[in-house]
């Protein structure tokens, strides 16, 4: 597609349930990032993929969070046993440049998945 | 500790009233200072990258500048459609670290 696509756009779940969020990056973009944005907070880095590998998972807040990427394309972020503090907008971004490269800061973001945990 | 701090948190301007947004940084080995714009309900949109002190970039009514301690986003004669949150960021490892942003409202 023309841009980064994320689904669902909105998800309401009950505390303790598992959720999966999907990101379809721009075709040909090898770098993929997940960020989280909470009300009143800045963008918080979660994980970086280069191809199917994740050289930087340092931002995942707990072992309830995991992510994978297959075929160098679609990525899924999974949150197990959701908690109310997981409520946020989860944003995916992709880039044609590898993370950390000069020029690698021009990221293309999707519109996000808004997660509400009741 | 590396960080960026943006000010003010919020800014209200009348249409045509020029102003500047500030991003002060303490980053060792800066590999670029980035500006993004974020509209409500959307993801951030890339505006500029600045690499070295003295560098300037322009796009329409926006001009970004960089010194050794801070970056400014100058908005000349803003229009209501310039209303958005403006974010600055730096590269840390593989990823961008963002400031908390300046929320700009331009009224007619």
């Amino acid at each position: 597609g023309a841009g980064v696509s994320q689904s669902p756009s909105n998800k309401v779940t009950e505390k303790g349930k598992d959720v999966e969020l999907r990101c379809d990056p721009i075709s040909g973009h090898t770098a993929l990032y997940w960020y989280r944005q909470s009300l009143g907070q800045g963008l918080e880095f979660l994980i970086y993929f280069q191809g199917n590998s994740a050289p930087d998972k340092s931002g995942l807040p707990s072992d309830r969070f995991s992510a994978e990427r297959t075929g160098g394309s679609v990525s899924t972020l999974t949150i197990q046993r959701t908690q109310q503090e997981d409520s946020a907008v989860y944003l995916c971004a992709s880039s044609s440049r590898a993370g950390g490269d000069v020029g690698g800061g021009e990221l293309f973001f999707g519109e996000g998945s808004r997660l509400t945990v009741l | 500790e590396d960080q960026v701090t943006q000010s003010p948190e919020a800014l209200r301007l009348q249409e045509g009233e020029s102003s500047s947004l500030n991003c002060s940084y303490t980053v060792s080995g800066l590999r670029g200072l980035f500006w993004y714009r974020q509209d409500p309900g959307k993801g951030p949109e890339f505006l500029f990258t600045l690499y070295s002190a003295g560098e300037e970039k322009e796009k329409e009514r926006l001009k970004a500048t960089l010194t050794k301690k801070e970056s400014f986003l100058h908005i000349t004669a803003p229009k209501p459609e310039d209303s958005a949150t403006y974010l600055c960021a730096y590269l840390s490892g593989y990823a961008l670290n963002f400031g908390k942003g300046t929320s700009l409202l331009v009224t007619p």
Side-chain angles (χ1 to χ4, degrees):
Chain A
V4 177
S5 178
Q6 293 189 244
S7 61
S9 54
N10 271 289
K11 176 72 176 180
V12 180
T13 191
E14 293 180 348
K15 178 181 171 182
K17 301 282 191 184
D18 297 352
V19 296
E20 283 189 353
L21 307 176
R22 174 188 167 108
C23 173
D24 202 342
I26 292 172
S27 178
H29 279 194
T30 56
L32 186 147
Y33 305 77
W34 285 98
Y35 283 84
R36 176 168 76 172
Q37 190 169 35
S38 307
L39 198 62
Q41 300 297 314
L43 279 153
E44 177 188 6
F45 166 73
L46 299 178
I47 187 168
Y48 161 66
F49 287 93
Q50 181 60 35
N52 292 336
S53 301
D56 190 352
K57 306 178 184 181
S58 62
L60 294 177
S62 75
D63 59 8
R64 297 186 296 105
F65 287 72
S66 63
E68 65 174 9
R69 189 178 184 193
T70 55
S73 181
V74 172
S75 177
T76 303
L77 177 69
T78 301
I79 309 173
Q80 296 179 309
R81 304 181 304 280
T82 52
Q83 304 293 312
Q84 288 183 332
E85 61 263 28
D86 299 335
S87 296
V89 176
Y90 289 82
L91 289 158
C92 176
S94 70
S95 174
S96 60
R97 306 290 294 267
D101 278 1
V102 172
E106 183 176 345
L107 306 185
F108 294 83
F109 281 84
E111 296 198 345
S113 292
R114 179 176 296 279
L115 174 66
T116 303
V117 182
L118 301 177
Chain B
E1 181 186 348
D2 291 349
Q3 63 179 357
V4 289
T5 304
Q6 293 191 245
S7 61
E9 288 185 15
L11 181 62
R12 184 182 179 122
L13 299 173
Q14 289 231 306
E15 185 172 4
E17 180 186 1
S18 302
S19 189
S20 296
L21 313 183
N22 178 266
C23 172
S24 64
Y25 65 92
T26 51
V27 177
S28 54
L30 187 74
R31 291 178 288 146
L33 192 292
F34 304 83
W35 283 97
Y36 279 76
R37 167 190 171 130
Q38 186 173 24
D39 292 298
K42 307 282 187 183
E45 178 185 353
F46 172 78
L47 291 172
F48 304 110
T49 309
L50 301 165
Y51 289 107
S52 56
E55 189 175 359
E56 298 183 352
K57 294 270 180 77
E58 283 190 67
K59 180 179 178 179
E60 296 182 357
R61 295 176 293 282
L62 300 177
K63 182 168 81 172
T65 62
L66 183 68
T67 73
K68 289 186 178 179
K69 293 184 179 180
E70 54 196 347
S71 179
F72 293 95
L73 186 65
H74 307 278
I75 304 178
T76 302
K79 298 183 177 181
E81 53 262 42
D82 295 321
S83 298
T85 297
Y86 291 86
L87 302 164
C88 69
Y90 65 96
L91 269 173
S92 175
Y94 295 103
L96 290 181
N97 270 18
F98 287 85
K100 292 191 175 182
T102 294
S103 176
L104 174 66
L105 176 65
V106 182
T107 57

